Amino acid sequence: MPGTAPGGHRRARRPVALIAAVAIVAAAVGGGSALLAENLTGRSAGNGSPVNGTATSRSVSTGGTVTGVAAAVGPSVVEITATSQTGRSTGSGVITTSDGEILTNNHVISGASSIKITFSNGKTATAEVVGTNPDFDMALVKAQDVSGLRAAVLGDSDKVKVGDEVVAIGSPEGLSGTVTSGIISALDRDVTVQKEDGQGSQGQGQGPGGDGQWPFEFGGGQYNGEVGGTTTTYKALQTDASLNPGNSGGALVNMRGEIIGINSAMYSPTSAAGAQSRDAGSVGLGFAIPINKVKQILDDLRDGGSGSGGGS
């Protein structure tokens, strides 16, 4: 799918709309698992065998519960491990076709020399980049030698309202299939990020932000290092569903089991200068790229383009 109150200042006294620090949720190397949706079955593609899975279905039955959403959508969300010359980063992705097309954030795979996909049952496959669109911080990758995967149902983000219940699914800190829930807190939040990594991931870091945080701008301020001269701004959905490093590229889902956003950013209370990235964590301020914006560029991504047309 990568400014907080300095010591002694209470966050409650600072206007979130102006000061909220958005730490791009790209990558923390880790292992283990949390809540896993075990519907996907098959063999690892690493040995040349296909990953066989549940046939793609356009109907989603969730019962309107978090448990139902997790069971229905979990098999459509993967962990993505991108390796570059400078290290390894972990993010998330959303399956869009039964033969292995996967949406993620551009900053998750930017600069990668190899990409590994881990499915919800722990099976793996290699992947190649199909297309990228840095202006929307989106990318499409293709898992190799797979078939019969459960593709996610893409919803309508224009119908999203403040207060709607949502579920986030991804791989924070490498914990595949982690499920959190919350509501839509706000709409149309402007988030400005660097278009390209330019130097690969920083070990356990998320990008070129210095100590594991992807640089960004929000509310007129710069956080997690210099953003650089080539940036893009997109209007994001804001949610209080917990997001952490590694959630980037994962699914923000409504209670009907439809993808309404691609998780991309988080507020980190330790993103001030000198803070340690290992101390970063969710405080209930997460951001996602609306799925209708992603739909607008999906055909271009499938054609291999690195399209333009900024996120605003």
Side-chain angles (χ1 to χ4, degrees):
M1 115 95 142
T4 62
H9 291 263
R10 296 180 180 272
R11 289 193 301 275
R13 295 180 180 176
R14 308 188 66 170
V16 170
L18 296 179
I19 308 298
V22 183
I24 290 297
V25 195
V29 174
S33 62
L35 178 60
L36 296 178
E38 296 293 346
N39 300 61
L40 185 62
T41 60
R43 296 172 293 169
S44 170
N47 60 8
S49 300
V51 176
N52 300 310
T54 306
T56 301
S57 172
R58 302 310 297 173
S59 62
V60 179
S61 177
T62 68
T65 67
V66 174
T67 301
V69 171
V73 184
S76 301
V77 181
V78 302
E79 178 180 315
I80 297 178
T81 303
T83 302
S84 71
Q85 292 182 344
T86 55
R88 209 170 43 154
S89 64
T90 301
S92 305
V94 176
I95 298 171
T96 58
T97 65
S98 61
D99 62 350
E101 282 188 356
I102 298 168
L103 285 168
T104 189
N105 289 136
N106 182 63
H107 72 259
V108 171
I109 53 86
S110 177
S113 57
S114 66
I115 300 171
K116 183 179 79 171
I117 305 299
T118 303
F119 297 95
S120 65
N121 66 345
K123 304 305 180 180
T124 64
T126 59
E128 296 180 355
V129 176
V130 175
T132 64
N133 191 312
D135 287 331
F136 281 95
D137 192 20
M138 288 301 305
L140 186 71
V141 303
K142 179 70 162 58
Q144 303 298 295
D145 301 317
V146 300
S147 62
L149 304 178
R150 183 183 296 184
V153 176
L154 305 185
D156 185 352
S157 55
D158 289 343
K159 294 182 179 179
V160 173
K161 298 178 181 179
V162 173
D164 284 352
E165 292 181 274
V166 291
V167 174
I169 307 176
S171 300
E173 307 294 347
L175 299 174
S176 298
T178 295
V179 176
T180 59
S181 64
I183 64 169
I184 294 294
S185 304
L187 306 174
D188 298 327
R189 294 295 198 199
D190 285 338
V191 176
T192 299
V193 297
Q194 184 168 311
K195 284 188 179 182
E196 298 283 358
D197 183 335
Q199 47 182 308
S201 59
Q202 304 289 311
Q204 293 197 11
Q206 298 175 210
D211 65 358
Q213 301 292 333
W214 190 269
F216 70 96
E217 295 177 358
F218 188 82
Q222 285 194 341
Y223 307 94
N224 302 331
E226 294 295 325
V227 177
T230 306
T231 64
T232 186
T233 300
Y234 57 83
K235 292 186 179 297
L237 302 174
Q238 181 182 326
T239 179
D240 69 351
S242 179
L243 301 179
N244 286 286
N247 271 116
S248 270
L252 189 66
V253 192
N254 65 22
M255 301 309 290
R256 293 184 298 278
E258 300 164 341
I259 310 299
I260 58 169
I262 300 297
N263 297 321
S264 60
M266 60 172 280
Y267 172 96
S268 172
T270 59
S271 58
Q276 297 297 311
S277 63
R278 65 176 179 269
D279 297 327
S282 173
V283 293
L285 292 171
F287 300 86
I289 301 169
I291 199 63
N292 284 10
K293 296 295 185 182
V294 178
K295 288 179 183 178
Q296 292 174 7
I297 62 168
L298 185 52
D299 285 342
D300 180 67
L301 292 174
R302 285 172 171 161
D303 289 339
S306 55
S308 61
S312 292

